[in-house]
Structure formats: C-alpha cells, structure tokens
Amino acid sequence: MKYSDKILNTPSSFIRNILKVTDVPDVISFAGGLPNPISFPIEELQSSINHAVEENGAKLFQYSTTEGYLPLRQYIADKYKKDYGLHFEPDDILITTGSQQALQLISQVLLNKGEGIVMEEPGYLGAIQAFSLAEPQFYSVTLEEDGLDAQQLDRTLAANNNIKFIYTVPNFQNPTGISYSKEKREAVYEVVNKYDVVLIEDDPYGELRWNGEKLPYIGAGKLENSVLLGSFSKIVTPGMRLGYVVTKNKELMHHINTVKQATDLHTNIFSQMILHEYLVNNDLGSHVKKIINLYETQANAMLNAMAKYFPSSVKYTKPDGGMFIWVTLEEGTSALEFFEKAMEVKVAFVPGDPFYTDKTNVNTLRLNYTNSSPEIIEEGIKRLGKILYSLSAEKQIV
Amino acid sequence: MKYSDKILNTPSSFIRNILKVTDVPDVISFAGGLPNPISFPIEELQSSINHAVEENGAKLFQYSTTEGYLPLRQYIADKYKKDYGLHFEPDDILITTGSQQALQLISQVLLNKGEGIVMEEPGYLGAIQAFSLAEPQFYSVTLEEDGLDAQQLDRTLAANNNIKFIYTVPNFQNPTGISYSKEKREAVYEVVNKYDVVLIEDDPYGELRWNGEKLPYIGAGKLENSVLLGSFSKIVTPGMRLGYVVTKNKELMHHINTVKQATDLHTNIFSQMILHEYLVNNDLGSHVKKIINLYETQANAMLNAMAKYFPSSVKYTKPDGGMFIWVTLEEGTSALEFFEKAMEVKVAFVPGDPFYTDKTNVNTLRLNYTNSSPEIIEEGIKRLGKILYSLSAEKQIV
C-alpha cells in the first residue's frame, strides 16, 4: 500500500520516541513540556462540573456549534480587552482542540503544496509537524536573543513571494524561552506590514511571566492579517485540549470555520462549558500567580544548578517566564551524543534537532523545568554537568 | 490574500447554513442529525466524573498519549470480541476527536492530490467535506437498496488504479438509512479483496437496530487493509467528541498516529477517562435499548405519517435502525425548491444536493426523526405532504 507524500515527509515523531524512552519511573526528565500537575485546579474544576451540569443539563452532552461556546468566546474577548486593551468580538474567536489544532487548520486554509512559511530558527517542533502536512517550503529566520532577526525577515519576504505566513511565539518561546523585546516587536511589525502575509502569534506561555512587564503583541489588533493563538493548557489544564484562534479577518475566519467543521465538527462542548464555569467563578489571576511562583522557583533551581555544575563554555538562555531553557554546547559537540550519555545516567532532555527544519546533529538542546522539584532539578543538572565536563576540555572544579 | 485550493474546493457548509436557517424555536426540524437529548445518561455520567477524579486525580487534567486512554481502547477491543467475535488489541485502536476526525486523518495519510476515493452515492456529506481537504478525485458508486452496487464497484476499481480507498457506512447509512444485506457485504468483500485499496467501514449507527439481526462487517477482521470507525456520539454523548479508528495494519496505524499528533496531540483525556468510567460501571446495553425503543417509535411515527400524508409517487426508505429516512420525489421535482416552500410553513429537512459529489438540484432529501416527538413528527410530515400534493399531479385524499 502507498501512503501520501505529506505523511512520508512529516518529521518522524522524534519527541514521541524520546518521551517513550524517558517515560520510566527513575529517569529524571527535562524532556517533556508538561505543566506541573500540582498546578491544576482540580477541586475548583470538579465543582465547576457540577454547576455546569445543573445550569446547562443536556446541552453539555449534545452536538454544538463549530465556532465554539459563545460565553467562552465572550470571556476570551473580555480578557484581551482587560489585559491588552485589544478589541475583539466573540465572532473573531474560534475554539480549537488545543492550540495545536489551530496550526493545522491555518496551514490547511492558507497553503498549497510548496508555498512558504517563515519559521523561527529554532522553532516549535509541533508547529513544524502540523505545517508539514500541508507540504510547505520552510524558510528559517534566525531567532536572536530578543526575537526574530527583522532584517533577515525582510530579505526573506522580499526574495520569496510564495510565503503565506510567518509563525512566531513572541513570549517565552518554545524551545528557547526567549521573549521578543518591545523594539524587536516594533521592527518585526514594520517589516510584516509591508507584505501580503499572515502573521501568526502563538502565545501559550504569555501569562507565565515572573520578570518584567507584559508587552503588546507584534501584530494583534494592528495588522489586518493578524492571527493570535491562545490556550488554556498552561494555565488551567491541557487534558481538556482547549485552545483558540483569534483574527479580525472575516474571510480567513470563515475558511478556518469550514476546515474546523470538516476536521472534527466542533470542539468538545462538555469541556468548554466546564472551563467557562471555572473561569467565571474563580480568580484565574491568583491561580496563575501560584503557577508562576512555582515555575520561577524551579527555573531558578535549574539556572543555579547550571551555573554551579556546567562548564563555562556551555551557554544558555535565562527566561523571564514560560517553561524552557535553551542550551548551546561547545561548537562541534553533538546534542544527540550527549543525550545518549545522559540516558545512561538516567537524565533526559530534547536534543535540538527536531526544532530545525533543515539542520541535523546540532549542538543545542531544550530543558524543561516545570515538571520536576528543585531537588530533582539539581540532581539532574549535576549529572548532566559531569558528562559535559567529560566532553569538554575544561576541568570541573568540585 | 490568497487561500489554498483545497479550502476553496471544500463544499460550502451547506448543512451549516441550513441549520442556521432552521435553528429557530418554532421550526419543526428534520434537518439535523442530533441524538435525542433525553437519551444522554446525564446522572450516570455525572457520577462517573466524580469517580474518575477520585481514581485518577491529576491524570485527567494532564497531557496524555496520542493513541488514547489504554483502558478505553481495551474496552473497545473487548466489546468487538463480545459483539462480533472480532480479535482486536488495544494497539489496533486509536481514539479520535469524534469519528469525523478519523476521516480527516485517514485521507491525509493515504491521499495525494488527485488520487481517488470511492463514495457511496448518495454518501455522508461530512465525509465529502473531510476528504475534500485532501483534494481527491471522487468516484461515485450507486448505493442500491441493499448496499453498494458490487459490479459497478468492480468496474470502477478496475478502471481507476489511482483509487486509494472506499468509504462505506454499512449500517443505517447517512443519509439513506440503508443497511447492506449479508449477500451484498460478501459481494463487496469479494470485489475489494482483489485490489490494493483500503476499505473504510464507518459505523456510528450500528448499535441502533430495532429490526433484524446484527450482521458481520464487510472487511473488518478479514481484509488486510480494513479500517473500522466507531463512535460514542450516538449511544452515550456527542458533546465529548469521542470516536475511534480500528485497523490491524500496523504501518497504517503508525501513520495515523503521526497525523493525529500533528493535528491535536491527543484526544481530550478528561472526557476519555469519564467515558471509560461510565462504560465499566453501567449497563450500556440496557441504555442503548432505551434509545432504540425511543427511535423506533419516532421512526414509525414518521413512516406512518408519510404513508398517510405523502402522495404515493413519493418513495422513501424504511430503515431497520439509525436516524434517517431518505426520500425520493417525483422525477423532476427540485428538493431545493421543496425546501424553500417547506420553510414557509416552518418545516426543515436537508435537500439531497450535499450528499452527492457531482450532482445538483436533485429530487432527493434526508429526514431525521430522532430529535422530535411523535406528535411533532406527524404535524411536520402533514405540512410537507400538503406541499408535495401541490407540487404533484396527484389529488390529496383528505
């Protein structure tokens, strides 16, 4: 039997295979991107379930609309107004099966085979996978310490008029933890505004900030072809798979709605109603504050341990929020080789390879700190440090 | 801004537009395909929620595996063994966001642009929409009163070696309510077995049988490239969007898993765990029996009213289960025109057009009886009958 080119060209599920290897009880795993389970508001969600059933009865269990539960879309619109002063209507919002699904929907709507996508380099591997199904041409633009290289973006867009959209994660990017500076946001806006392209801002981590000020989006509320993606996975629960796409472009939204309907009719309405009940009856802000405090402690534990145990030749990002640290090893060191040695001492992470569309055997890797205690983090980093010294010319000072 | 060819070629959401027109309080709607809300086991599901939270805690709310919740897949495997004597392992089963999603996943895995799909004529419009995103060539094979025309299927497969799969709904088909006879199943099996194609059997309605015996599947358990789709939407709840795909072809399942991950990572685990808790702690059989009794009464109410109020020139199917009756008007009568007149007297149905890949302005239409009381059904059919007589040469005998 023959399979489609698109499935054969979709990157093999590198991270799935890694998670399988690493998902054994005594492995210290910095590999996944899982929220800390102690951050789920389980009791509050449970009482929300009972309220939702009392209030909505059979409606929780029936087919529903493709665009999603209206009161939830209204809540999201109100939240953007409160948090960012952005004016969205519920009609500008469609609820998706996690924001991952939004990536797949948008690429189906916009791309013919061979058309272009600008990706941050390195970029979110789940986006690379979702987009690959549309058989695109990927164009990488360097992600600098303060965001996408605006000049390189301009040159890339100027040279390739097959580019349909630019995919960015402006806050605490996956995999690097990097956030775009205010200046970089403005510079990228100025570039994008010159071209007939869509700007996607995927923002699952934006609320998880412990340092600095919330910044305005690059294009949301300003660019005609702006698409903003959000998610409840990192601030309430990922298990319910509830994300959303926001755009004021009516025609684009109409097409997204059509693909959404063809794909799964609508998002789980039972979960949408429960989430909405939770959101309107609880103080989300103070819940998120708890998660932030937890992750800040864990991030600091990791950064302190890295300062203590890693050779000085190893560079890494120091995020102001989010879930990840990005590590750059000495030139020529293979992250894949490091991964194999790390697994021997039962520590896991994601080697950088799957975060690039056109590079392999790189010297970078992603560490996650949200799902381990500070003690475990210290122990895991200590083990990694020992290997790194053995791979390096530097002597470990014990 | 330019959109993809596939979105521009995906049939406009005919049924969505119809449901919008018809979703007003005083319209009698035979248009949707909604289960009767009194069939949802709300109280049982509610106690299942509490049990599931007690037993699984944070696991309900965390990210989960792409293939789906193992105990739920085990339950499904066991059920096929009990009901059909079919031997499936949990690894042969992947949980999808409704069985609608399975259609989209499979077409992504199998089809390059322009490759072929055999559709029943008339066929499920949601499948036509899902498949359209892969830009296929559709080949229609006539759905006879007892299933697909096997000779025509053979000729079609012989003449077109670009065909990758055949899509069938063997039990109480949508839109016709037709079930394949035992002989027709065998004849179709014999044909399909000669070719290197996948046979999809989509079976959301199979359990809703009030007349006759459950029949073996066409290819499931026998054909190497068999794919079976199932759903909990019609027997427990559609709101949770829980369906599944079953195949013993390991390579095919591997690719389906990759697309599933790229599309939405995994199906809502919160709902999977609650459903599983419901299934193992309640008597599903007796619950389904209640739904069957309800729908049989409603179907009979509709058939009796049609016998009473429709001109004898109007033909229609008499289903042994499921949710739909298919009506064929006199040659030359436009179902779309009939729809407009019906809406004037506040009765809705779905004109046949969207169930064909290459016909318009047809003389067929779909009636749903599961979501109206027998009294409302009689009143709606009476109003339709009056219009049909006015369109026909026959005189109404009052």
Side-chain angles (χ1 to χ4, degrees), chain B residues 252-307:
Chain B
L252 177 58
M253 184 56 96
H254 171 79
H255 289 314
I256 291 173
N257 193 311
T258 299
V259 188
K260 170 69 180 169
Q261 189 184 43
T263 297
D264 63 6
L265 302 183
H266 65 82
T267 300
N268 188 312
I269 183 67
F270 172 73
S271 294
Q272 289 185 67
M273 285 183 169
I274 291 168
L275 174 69
H276 176 257
E277 195 69 26
Y278 167 77
L279 294 169
V280 297
N281 291 310
N282 292 274
D283 181 353
L284 181 67
S286 78
H287 173 67
V288 171
K289 189 82 192 107
K290 272 186 239 167
I291 302 177
I292 291 172
N293 291 340
L294 186 68
Y295 292 177
E296 181 180 16
T297 306
Q298 293 173 193
N300 285 335
M302 189 169 273
L303 290 168
N304 291 338
M306 290 165 85

Side-chain angles (χ1 to χ4, degrees), chain A residues 156-177:
Chain A
T156 303
L157 291 171
N160 302 284
N161 64 10
N162 72 335
I163 292 172
K164 302 298 272 294
F165 66 83
I166 302 153
Y167 174 75
T168 65
V169 182
N171 299 312
F172 320 123
Q173 196 243 17
N174 183 352
T176 62

Side-chain angles (χ1 to χ4, degrees), chain A residues 138-172:
Chain A
F138 285 113
Y139 297 93
S140 295
V141 171
T142 306
L143 186 69
E144 301 180 308
E145 278 180 28
D146 60 347
L148 215 46
D149 180 333
Q151 281 77 42
Q152 195 191 344
L153 175 65
D154 200 354
R155 287 194 303 272
T156 303
L157 291 171
N160 302 284
N161 64 10
N162 72 335
I163 292 172
K164 302 298 272 294
F165 66 83
I166 302 153
Y167 174 75
T168 65
V169 182
N171 299 312
F172 320 123

Side-chain angles (χ1 to χ4, degrees), chain A residues 127-363:
Chain A
I128 296 173
Q129 287 182 328
F131 298 154
S132 291
L133 292 172
E135 300 176 272
Q137 172 78 44
F138 285 113
Y139 297 93
S140 295
V141 171
T142 306
L143 186 69
E144 301 180 308
E145 278 180 28
D146 60 347
L148 215 46
D149 180 333
Q151 281 77 42
Q152 195 191 344
L153 175 65
D154 200 354
R155 287 194 303 272
T156 303
L157 291 171
N160 302 284
N161 64 10
N162 72 335
I163 292 172
K164 302 298 272 294
F165 66 83
I166 302 153
Y167 174 75
T168 65
V169 182
N171 299 312
F172 320 123
Q173 196 243 17
N174 183 352
T176 62
I178 282 173
S179 288
Y180 286 48
S181 68
K182 191 158 182 296
E183 296 67 33
K184 209 41 141 347
R185 286 168 200 247
E186 285 161 7
V188 170
Y189 167 81
E190 292 301 334
V191 170
V192 174
N193 199 27
K194 296 194 296 179
Y195 299 90
D196 183 25
V197 291
V198 171
L199 176 71
I200 301 177
E201 295 179 84
D202 187 1
D203 189 25
Y205 314 109
E207 302 224 35
L208 305 178
R209 175 186 288 278
W210 52 79
N211 203 22
E213 289 293 307
K214 197 169 261 187
L215 294 172
Y217 286 107
I218 302 167
K222 287 181 287 186
L223 284 173
E224 190 192 335
N225 295 331
S226 151
V227 171
L228 184 56
L229 307 183
S231 170
F232 294 98
S233 291
K234 310 306 188 293
I235 54 173
V236 184
T237 164
M240 290 188 184
R241 314 298 307 117
L242 295 171
Y244 50 89
V245 46
V246 189
T247 181
K248 293 193 87 68
N249 182 321
K250 300 285 176 205
E251 196 182 10
L252 177 58
M253 184 56 96
H254 171 78
H255 289 313
I256 291 172
N257 192 311
T258 300
V259 188
K260 170 71 181 168
Q261 189 184 43
T263 298
D264 64 5
L265 302 182
H266 64 81
T267 300
N268 189 312
I269 183 67
F270 172 72
S271 294
Q272 288 185 68
M273 285 183 170
I274 291 168
L275 175 69
H276 176 257
E277 196 68 26
Y278 166 77
L279 293 170
V280 297
N281 291 311
N282 292 275
D283 183 353
L284 181 67
S286 77
H287 173 67
V288 170
K289 189 79 192 110
K290 273 185 240 168
I291 302 177
I292 291 172
N293 290 340
L294 186 66
Y295 292 177
E296 182 180 12
T297 306
Q298 292 172 195
N300 285 334
M302 189 167 274
L303 291 169
N304 292 337
M306 290 165 85
K308 193 165 157 190
Y309 298 112
F310 279 13
S312 63
S313 58
V314 173
K315 305 299 174 200
Y316 46 89
T317 58
K318 297 176 185 66
D320 293 324
M323 301 175 65
F324 304 108
I325 291 170
W326 184 247
V327 179
T328 305
L329 306 176
E330 274 180 58
E331 197 76 40
T333 310
S334 158
L336 283 169
E337 210 176 292
F338 179 33
F339 174 76
E340 278 169 34
K341 287 185 195 291
M343 280 306 293
E344 286 169 19
V345 298
K346 307 207 170 200
V347 182
F349 54 80
V350 184
D353 295 52
F355 300 103
Y356 299 87
T357 56
D358 54 4
K359 285 184 183 172
T360 51
N361 211 18
V362 296
N363 65 331

